[in-house]
Amino acid sequence: MTIFSSDVFTGKHALVTGATGGIGYETAKLLAQMGADVTITGRREEVLNELKEEIQDDFPEAKVFIVVADLTKASDRETLVQVAEDKMGPVSLLVNSAGITGGGVMEDLTQEELEKVMHVNFTVPILLTQQIYESMKKNKEGAIVNVSSLSGLRGTYGGTAYTGSKFALNAFTQSFGLEAIEHNIRVNAVCPGYVDTKMGRDGIRRKGERENRSFEEQLKIENANLPSGRISTAREVANTIAFLLTDAAENVVGEAVKISGGSVMGLQENISQ
């Protein structure tokens, strides 16, 4: 179902990180459908090529630029911003979608794993945003959406690393949101629960293994626990991201928008997304 105009972002350059993952993939497609020139980045070139082909098959006029990058490397972040802006112009829409899961219960958590999750999910989005922020300030416009999680709003079993990183990302969203709005740049976050992506399915599978259940059994339980009766789709998350990037959300600043299927209204035990 199309809910946005095809010219909302005409003339704007959107950068989507983590475009090889489910949420980033769907967000890039939607922003191109809405008229944006889109730079997509990730580490898997073959998936980025598939995404570009899919976008241009559906929208032949769409401008899509691929940059293969490992955002944990400073040199790759610098190259990404430089070549993307040289090719497509200043970035005015940024979606920080790249992220990983990881960690475990306290007795199994290693310093290496903790630092890796915090670096990818918290430090990297800040450092990349910092590079793009200067051109946004110069142009006095921009919108940024960080892809966080319901795990950034309440603790989860075995979630010290992942949950901690998402709490930190939400804090960054609020703090930076206060600074950026002075320059007409809006910063917000989306906080989905389980999403029907590889990462989401893997999380459900791990939870099932902990409870000695199959993936199918655990998915049925997760769906049943939600007032809406099902987990979210990547497209639904992309729709919320797109809304937050539009002028329709021009007075939404520093928010962490929940996409929970109603789960945050009830008390549940051992939620791990």
Side-chain angles (χ1 to χ4, degrees):
M1 179 179 65
T2 301
I3 61 174
F4 298 108
S5 168
S6 62
D7 61 359
V8 172
F9 294 136
T10 298
K12 294 187 180 295
H13 176 194
L15 171 59
V16 181
T17 74
T20 55
I23 293 173
Y25 196 99
E26 289 298 323
T27 299
K29 286 169 54 180
L30 180 55
L31 298 185
Q33 178 184 332
M34 296 168 70
D37 299 334
V38 182
T39 294
I40 53 176
T41 188
R43 290 181 294 180
R44 293 180 291 165
E45 185 172 10
E46 69 281 5
V47 180
L48 294 174
N49 285 327
E50 290 171 7
L51 173 55
K52 179 177 180 178
E53 182 177 349
E54 187 173 338
I55 290 172
Q56 294 185 327
D57 281 348
D58 291 338
F59 310 101
E61 302 302 315
K63 294 181 181 179
V64 183
F65 183 51
I66 290 174
V67 182
V68 180
D70 179 352
L71 298 184
T72 64
K73 299 177 180 178
S75 59
D76 279 23
R77 294 194 299 271
E78 292 169 6
T79 298
L80 166 63
V81 175
Q82 180 179 342
V83 299
E85 295 202 327
D86 285 349
K87 179 72 174 181
M88 309 280 267
V91 173
S92 54
L93 307 171
L94 173 62
V95 181
N96 286 311
S97 183
I100 59 172
T101 58
V105 294
M106 182 60 69
E107 56 266 36
D108 297 333
L109 185 61
T110 65
Q111 180 176 339
E112 179 182 12
E113 182 74 3
L114 175 61
E115 291 178 347
K116 177 183 176 182
V117 173
M118 288 297 296
H119 185 65
V120 173
N121 290 355
F122 174 59
T123 306
V124 166
I126 293 176
L127 295 177
L128 178 63
T129 300
Q130 190 176 46
Q131 289 183 248
I132 293 168
Y133 184 45
E134 288 308 310
S135 63
M136 286 186 172
K137 280 174 64 177
K138 187 180 300 182
N139 294 320
K140 296 190 180 300
E141 71 161 352
I144 299 167
V145 175
N146 299 316
V147 178
S148 184
S149 169
L150 289 184
S151 292
L153 301 173
R154 78 285 188 273
T156 61
Y157 183 91
T160 295
Y162 179 73
T163 299
S165 72
K166 293 301 185 177
F167 262 86
L169 187 63
N170 286 342
F172 163 59
T173 300
Q174 292 185 10
S175 296
F176 181 46
L178 293 175
E179 300 173 24
I181 195 59
E182 295 178 354
H183 305 283
N184 196 37
I185 299 162
R186 292 181 300 100
V187 184
N188 290 288
V190 292
C191 294
Y194 281 122
V195 182
D196 188 16
T197 62
K198 181 181 184 303
M199 183 182 289
R201 291 188 293 271
D202 286 347
I204 292 171
R205 184 173 291 107
R206 287 192 298 272
K207 187 173 181 181
E209 290 171 355
R210 194 168 70 238
E211 302 293 336
N212 294 315
R213 300 187 186 107
S214 68
F215 167 78
E216 290 75 17
E217 290 171 329
Q218 191 62 44
L219 176 60
K220 185 176 181 180
I221 290 171
E222 297 303 326
N223 285 334
N225 281 342
L226 295 172
S228 68
R230 62 173 179 81
I231 64 174
S232 300
T233 67
R235 183 64 175 210
E236 288 168 332
V237 179
N239 284 340
T240 305
I241 293 170
F243 164 71
L244 290 172
L245 293 173
T246 68
D247 290 343
E250 64 181 353
N251 206 33
V252 182
V253 177
E255 294 291 350
V257 179
K258 298 183 287 293
I259 309 169
S260 70
S263 67
V264 294
M265 295 189 294
L267 296 175
Q268 300 179 63
E269 296 180 355
N270 297 335
I271 303 174
S272 61
Q273 172 57 22

